Amino acid sequence: MALEVFHKDETLQMRRKLIGQSCRLFFSRDPVKIVRARGQYLYDENGMQYLDCISNVQHVGHCHPSLTQAAAAQMDLLNSNTRFLHDNIVLYADRLAATLPKKLCVFYFVNSGSEANDLALRLARQYTRHHDVVVLDHAYHGHLISLIDISPYKFRKLEGQKEWVHVAPLPDTYHGIYREDHPDPGQAYADTVKSLIDEAHKKGCKISSFFAESLPSVGGQIIFPTGYCKRVAEYVREAGGVYVADEIQTGFGRVGSHFWAFQLQGEDFCPDIVTMGKPIGNGHPIACVATTEEIAAAFTANGVEYFNTFGGNPVSCAIGLAVLDVIEKEDLRGNAVRVGGHLKQLLLQLQTKHPLIGDVRGVGLFIGMELVKDRASRKPATEEAAHLVRRLKEERIVMSTDGPWDSVIKFKPPMCFSIEDAERVCTCIDQILRDSISSNTDSFPSNIYYKLAFNEQFFFNSFNFR
Amino acid sequence: MALEVFHKDETLQMRRKLIGQSCRLFFSRDPVKIVRARGQYLYDENGMQYLDCISNVQHVGHCHPSLTQAAAAQMDLLNSNTRFLHDNIVLYADRLAATLPKKLCVFYFVNSGSEANDLALRLARQYTRHHDVVVLDHAYHGHLISLIDISPYKFRKLEGQKEWVHVAPLPDTYHGIYREDHPDPGQAYADTVKSLIDEAHKKGCKISSFFAESLPSVGGQIIFPTGYCKRVAEYVREAGGVYVADEIQTGFGRVGSHFWAFQLQGEDFCPDIVTMGKPIGNGHPIACVATTEEIAAAFTANGVEYFNTFGGNPVSCAIGLAVLDVIEKEDLRGNAVRVGGHLKQLLLQLQTKHPLIGDVRGVGLFIGMELVKDRASRKPATEEAAHLVRRLKEERIVMSTDGPWDSVIKFKPPMCFSIEDAERVCTCIDQILRDSISSNTDSFPSNIYYKLAFNEQFFFNSFNFR
């Protein structure tokens, strides 16, 4: 198979003509053409290697041969739909069930995280007979019409907030209303959800569900304070609603210590619905909703079939099974603990040297490093984060930002990321931050420097990607 | 790879436990376990062969080796997302553009027909700045919340009709308000859309779009009367809306003579948006929206990125390209013309022998045979259609029904369906209909016979599958 059919310029020209421009490119002024990948490494058309720090979808590493083999073997045998009996779907559901608390034992297979969240919303509404939804500020739950409605990150830029959507503060102890010095931020943030529900009730609204990523990623790689989810779930259930844990970014062992990020909140917390996506098929379009027997029964009781043409087909399930096998066989959760822990330590060390680094947070291979103008005000260093991403690209390291101000450098690499990779990227960050300081000091007052370095076009396109 | 891990009974038991019961099985009282397939043939766990008359998703035939090879080769090289430049997506968009009128030249790749229709709705609304939608009665456009709203087939059983949805009569010249004896049913049915738009305007509603399958399938394998689409498009555009052609069931040469079913309406008709799905990847989850530069530009102008995690990835596009290659190399459109034409002739011959067959309609390998209690009243023969499907299953022919009364036997087989297959299925239908008549005549008054043969449970589950 040819690695390249067109010269990069021609590819870019065709892309601009043929593909909707709403579909953006990384580094739009000088986009990268990737033709090959393996593990945590990407290769451009000239054979240059890039270290990939952000492709959480390619969870077990790019182009893992076990997955190619599993896909090809099943493609050669059968790819049908779920109206015929097949072993793969039940084998796969059974394997997923083993990773979850017992009560999450009924599965629906779909094609994308967005489809999973849309179905979760249908399930929640059908079960509770309530309509309204509580979401976290800055949340992103998908690109579908129904999900833009429950994604403040999107609806603020588009149609605005619907009357049935209630936005709770992001429990961010670095920037939020309750910070790390609060005696019980978990309770305090949960109480904001309770207040929001009470307000909604006063208006006659009924809460169907609370939707939250188990670790808000677009929100800025946020780690929930202890006790938050359990308390929120209590409040939401008291209101007749259900707790939907969006594990699309965070599931499948990314946090290392646990298979699901919601499990970080302790064994006494269990969501009512869990949605899965991105890493589930290592890039193959598959996603899933797990729920309880009661919720599934309520959905069945409406008497209407749920049919998803491609969802749960034998090939998708074969790939899903192979991903689970690789996670286990290669101890990728162990690797996330070891490498993620080391990476976080290295970043904390950098924090002691560079005042720009305001916060380092994360768990396993889900880590955020937040840049600030100064540590007292915690004013987001947005331009500096963009500069760092651009400079890292020159060092052939693919990185991106997140958070409400795009000031959080986010690490969510393939799970085979190594100690050496972590050291390399931290060495580069150290050097870039040192260079920036010296060039700032030597020649530019800080804000002029950034005005020169980042025109709006670059700015708009070089980060802010989820 | 083992063909079977569990005994069929165990698979069924696990399925009932682990998979939401809203996901229904064909022939639920005695479901079929399929472990292998090739071309137009399915094989169960005992190696029994079934002729597949309904899997339009497996468009070029089940498990085509070219597709397995294309998928495996690309999976081994790279599977990333569309934020990196890659040749496959532009190659594929370019190939699709060549099948479409020139003005449909901008593409968005997604994972399912449902995702495509949801995006089409967003595009239409963004471009027109209008909200309301006109749809055809009995239409089905997908399982997402936004699409249930525009699918009378679903919303009538669920939340009911939204105030922004306007339902036009299905232009069905066999059952509808204007029939085959009308001098210009195309104009007459188009005028019903015009009236609906006028009514909507009186209420202050503004029409964003008219959504229709180019050949309504759930509606009963309907062929639009001549001139219908062109007139409707004129009316919709006069109202400031756009015409969305849902080609999810009907595209990619199924009609034989043309690549897209909307092209049956003549060269002077062109939709503003076309959505593609099901056959596009022969079972691999991929789908697409094609639109004009103007509509794409309006969508870009909102300043918000459209990112679809899996959509347009190099593997999906490689498979899409391989499907196009097979359609061409194996002249599957020619085959659809030849075999579809022969099949339709055979069914018309059966119609002369069996009063139960009220209508035979279709084009290429998209054919409906409607069963009626009697030809004068055209009363749908729902139970008889279910009986025929069940008996065909005993003959190892997989068939299904469609239409508002599930009285239409629908043919939409893999495009490699042969003359021999067509003859076999027609011989079986002939025999079954003859047997039914004789058993009816000999022992049962017609309605008692059917009451005995079909209890509600069988009924509910043996057809009505889209």
Side-chain angles (χ1 to χ4, degrees), chain B residues 59 99 215 223 247 249-264 279 327-328 330-342 362-367 411-417:
Chain B
H59 191 61
T99 68
L215 300 171
I223 311 294
E247 289 272 350
Q249 296 264 11
T250 56
F252 294 88
R254 174 149 299 275
V255 300
S257 58
H258 299 79
F259 202 84
W260 304 103
F262 75 78
Q263 293 168 326
L264 293 167
I327 292 171
E328 279 176 29
E330 301 187 2
D331 186 26
L332 293 179
R333 281 175 54 196
N335 194 63
V337 170
R338 287 185 296 276
V339 177
H342 188 63
V363 55
L365 280 168
F366 183 92
I367 292 173
F411 294 84
K412 41 180 191 174
M415 296 274 283
C416 51
F417 207 71

Side-chain angles (χ1 to χ4, degrees), chain B residues 17-241:
Chain B
K17 192 170 137 264
L18 288 162
I19 306 300
Q21 289 297 297
S22 303
C23 306
R24 294 194 190 145
L25 288 164
F26 281 128
F27 317 112
S28 72
R29 294 190 86 185
D30 181 23
V32 182
K33 184 172 186 179
I34 299 298
V35 298
R36 188 163 71 81
R38 190 65 71 160
Q40 64 274 48
Y41 303 110
L42 304 165
Y43 300 88
D44 72 9
E45 76 283 9
N46 301 313
M48 294 302 300
Q49 186 194 74
Y50 288 79
L51 175 62
D52 185 351
C53 299
I54 58 170
S55 291
N56 60 331
V57 170
Q58 281 71 31
H59 191 61
V60 303
H62 289 273
C63 303
H64 198 293
S66 297
L67 308 195
T68 307
Q69 204 183 341
Q74 187 58 53
M75 282 186 81
D76 191 50
L77 267 184
L78 176 72
N79 200 16
S80 57
N81 65 54
T82 57
R83 285 166 176 166
F84 296 106
L85 275 181
H86 196 270
D87 287 338
N88 285 8
I89 189 170
V90 298
L91 270 169
Y92 187 41
D94 196 46
R95 284 282 294 278
L96 289 174
T99 68
L100 287 161
K102 269 191 183 163
K103 81 171 209 185
L104 295 167
C105 59
V106 183
F107 298 83
Y108 300 86
F109 292 101
V110 297
N111 306 300
S112 67
S114 288
E115 284 195 356
N117 278 337
D118 185 272
L119 178 56
L121 189 51
R122 288 186 66 193
L123 289 169
R125 286 177 172 167
Q126 183 75 40
Y127 175 68
T128 64
R129 304 276 177 166
H130 295 175
H131 193 75
D132 286 27
V133 180
V134 179
V135 294
L136 292 180
D137 206 359
H138 308 294
Y140 177 56
H141 294 292
H143 55 70
L144 298 168
I145 291 169
S146 62
L147 304 176
I148 291 170
D149 281 345
I150 63 166
S151 299
Y153 161 68
K154 286 284 179 191
F155 72 60
R156 294 235 163 88
K157 303 172 192 164
L158 292 164
E159 285 86 17
Q161 186 168 346
K162 296 276 159 67
E163 76 293 346
W164 53 269
V165 177
H166 309 274
V167 180
L170 186 63
D172 172 354
T173 55
Y174 186 70
H175 276 295
I177 46 175
Y178 307 113
R179 299 197 173 177
E180 66 284 353
D181 56 353
H182 189 284
D184 190 356
Q187 181 68 58
Y189 277 111
D191 286 344
T192 66
V193 174
K194 173 77 175 119
S195 305
L196 202 64
I197 292 172
D198 291 343
E199 283 299 308
H201 283 173
K202 277 181 203 156
K203 293 180 205 153
C205 303
K206 290 178 173 178
I207 305 300
S208 71
S209 49
F210 173 83
F211 265 74
E213 287 184 273
S214 296
L215 300 171
S217 47
V218 167
Q221 310 283 100
I222 304 298
I223 311 294
F224 285 146
T226 309
Y228 176 72
C229 296
K230 184 168 172 268
R231 289 294 158 83
V232 168
E234 285 165 9
Y235 295 144
V236 170
R237 286 172 191 147
E238 275 167 25

Side-chain angles (χ1 to χ4, degrees), chain A residues 5 11 15 18 22 24 26 33 37 58 77 79 82-83 87 107 112 115 278 303 306-307 309 466, chain B residues 5 11 15 18 22 24 26 33 37 58 77 79 82-83 87 107 112 115 278 303 306-307 309 466:
Chain A
V5 180
T11 308
R15 162 113 182 190
L18 288 161
S22 302
R24 296 197 189 142
F26 281 129
K33 184 171 186 180
Q58 281 71 31
L77 268 184
N79 200 16
T82 56
R83 286 165 175 168
D87 287 339
F107 298 84
S112 66
E115 285 195 356
K278 293 189 188 284
Y306 177 78
F307 178 60
T309 300
R466 275 93 211 185
Chain B
V5 181
T11 307
R15 162 115 181 187
L18 288 162
S22 303
R24 294 194 190 145
F26 281 128
K33 184 172 186 179
Q58 281 71 31
L77 267 184
N79 200 16
T82 57
R83 285 166 176 166
D87 287 338
F107 298 83
S112 67
E115 284 195 356
K278 294 189 188 287
Y306 178 78
F307 178 60
T309 301
R466 274 93 213 182

Side-chain angles (χ1 to χ4, degrees), chain A residues 176-190:
Chain A
I177 47 175
Y178 308 113
R179 299 196 174 179
E180 66 283 351
D181 55 352
H182 189 283
D184 190 357
Q187 181 69 56
Y189 276 112

Side-chain angles (χ1 to χ4, degrees), chain A residues 21 36 115 364:
Chain A
Q21 288 298 298
R36 189 163 70 81
E115 285 195 356

